[in-house]
Amino acid sequence: MGIVAFALRYRHTFYVLALMMLFLGGSAILTAPKDIFPNINIPVVTVIWQYTGLTPEEMEQRVTTYSEYSISSNVSDIRNIESQTLSGVAVEKVFFQPNVNVDLAISQIVSASNAIRSLMPVGIQPPVIVQYNASSVPVLQLSLSSDQLNEQQLYDYGIYRIRQALAPIAGNYAADPLWRQIPADHG
């Protein structure tokens, strides 16, 4: 009850405190950073190999194993490598030490990947190499399906209509699509 008696006796003090909180709150809003996510720079590079027609076991034996070996022996400052192999797709996440020069690491990965392609299945294309950081995580992923359009028409609609409509938006980055056909009965 002491604070109530104090507030009744010295009410001007509480008016001044309320005005001071209002002023400091307004100045904090103006000076606080606008981005709600902190700048987190975790050096991770994703290497995506695609070769249709191979089962996950074949993909692991003929692509993922060679790629992991080449990257681990030719790229410096690697902390660890995580791989996931699917039917026709191998995704490798390469985690680096915090002090790494990511641009140099990406060029080393490209060099190592090109050097090992001769041991992989004939006709395999170079991998897609993507660097993600926590502040550029995708906020929108689109998936298209149609009962009236065939696969090629749906692809064209996505690339030439939807992607072109999203491209001019400020701050937008439209990544290259990774197209994968999912069977209609795949629930």
Side-chain angles (χ1 to χ4, degrees):
M1 181 129 153
I3 193 156
V4 174
F6 183 78
L8 291 173
R9 181 174 291 145
Y10 302 105
R11 68 182 110 170
H12 298 292
T13 303
F14 283 90
Y15 292 141
V16 170
L17 285 174
L19 286 173
M20 190 168 67
M21 286 186 345
L22 184 68
F23 173 74
L24 290 176
S27 65
I29 288 172
L30 295 176
T31 60
K34 304 298 186 248
D35 192 6
I36 60 172
F37 296 114
N39 188 9
I40 301 171
N41 192 9
I42 301 171
V44 179
V45 174
T46 304
V47 180
I48 304 167
W49 291 92
Q50 294 180 336
Y51 192 79
T52 57
L54 292 181
T55 65
E57 294 80 19
E58 291 175 326
M59 193 74 180
E60 182 177 1
Q61 292 171 357
R62 298 178 70 188
V63 176
T64 307
T65 303
Y66 291 127
S67 178
E68 283 181 355
Y69 175 74
S70 178
I71 289 173
S72 65
S73 59
N74 293 313
V75 180
S76 57
D77 291 327
I78 293 178
R79 192 175 68 203
N80 68 326
I81 300 175
E82 293 178 4
S83 298
Q84 182 179 11
T85 306
L86 305 168
S87 180
V89 178
V91 179
E92 301 171 2
K93 291 182 182 177
V94 184
F95 296 87
F96 293 98
Q97 299 295 335
N99 61 348
V100 72
N101 179 350
V102 178
D103 295 329
L104 176 63
I106 289 174
S107 67
Q108 289 175 343
I109 289 174
V110 169
S111 175
S113 299
N114 286 333
I116 204 72
R117 278 181 48 212
S118 63
L119 298 175
M120 293 183 178
V122 176
I124 193 165
Q125 297 298 312
V128 176
I129 299 174
V130 181
Q131 177 196 2
Y132 287 113
N133 61 28
S135 61
S136 67
V137 175
V139 267
L140 176 68
Q141 293 181 349
L142 288 175
S143 176
L144 303 176
S145 66
S146 174
D147 295 331
Q148 296 152 351
L149 299 176
N150 64 28
E151 186 177 335
Q152 182 61 43
Q153 291 170 328
L154 201 58
Y155 176 87
D156 290 343
Y157 185 78
I159 288 290
Y160 299 118
R161 293 285 182 103
I162 296 175
R163 185 179 173 131
Q164 297 303 324
L166 294 175
I169 297 173
N172 180 22
Y173 173 72
D176 289 333
L178 263 176
W179 302 105
R180 209 151 168 242
Q181 183 179 359
I182 299 174
D185 61 344
H186 183 72

